């Protein structure tokens, strides 16, 4: 491993990380996410954040319109 890292002019730890990532991508792993799973997780977190903001906006709009219907003109 150290010889290959030297040939590639990178650190051994970097090479180990690459190998571990390749193994996880190839076989899947119970402890590491594949690259596709990581990308999906990022997308799902982004969607969750957006949906949370939309829910908050809808709650405020509902409260506003509820107040408008209760107060006399």
């Amino acid at each position: 491993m150290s010889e290959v890292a030297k040939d590639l002019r990178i650190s051994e730890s970097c090479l180990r990380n690459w190998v571990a990532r390749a193994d996880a991508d190839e076989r899947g792993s119970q402890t590491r996410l594949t690259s596709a799973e990581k990308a999906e997780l990022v997308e799902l977190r982004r969607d969750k954040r957006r949906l949370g903001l939309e829910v908050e906006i809808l709650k405020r709009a509902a409260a506003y319109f509820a107040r408008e219907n209760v107060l006399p003109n």
Side-chain angles (χ1 to χ4, degrees):
M1 180 83 66
S2 63
E3 289 180 29
V4 173
K6 285 179 187 176
D7 289 344
L8 294 172
R9 295 183 180 156
I10 59 173
S11 68
E12 276 186 67
S13 61
C14 181
L15 183 58
R16 276 193 210 99
N17 289 339
W18 286 357
V19 169
R21 170 64 44 217
D23 286 344
D25 286 348
E26 186 177 306
R27 290 184 249 150
S29 172
Q30 295 195 7
T31 58
R32 298 191 83 156
L33 297 176
T34 65
S35 296
E37 290 170 331
K38 267 190 171 180
E40 182 182 13
L41 184 59
V42 167
E43 185 179 341
L44 290 171
R45 285 179 176 164
R46 187 180 305 124
D47 287 346
K48 180 181 179 259
R49 188 172 34 252
R50 179 184 53 81
L51 291 171
L53 290 172
E54 289 177 5
V55 166
E56 186 60 33
I57 290 168
L58 291 172
K59 282 182 184 178
R60 290 180 185 193
Y64 173 80
F65 289 117
R67 249 185 320 191
E68 189 176 276
N69 290 331
V70 171
L71 297 175
N73 289 334

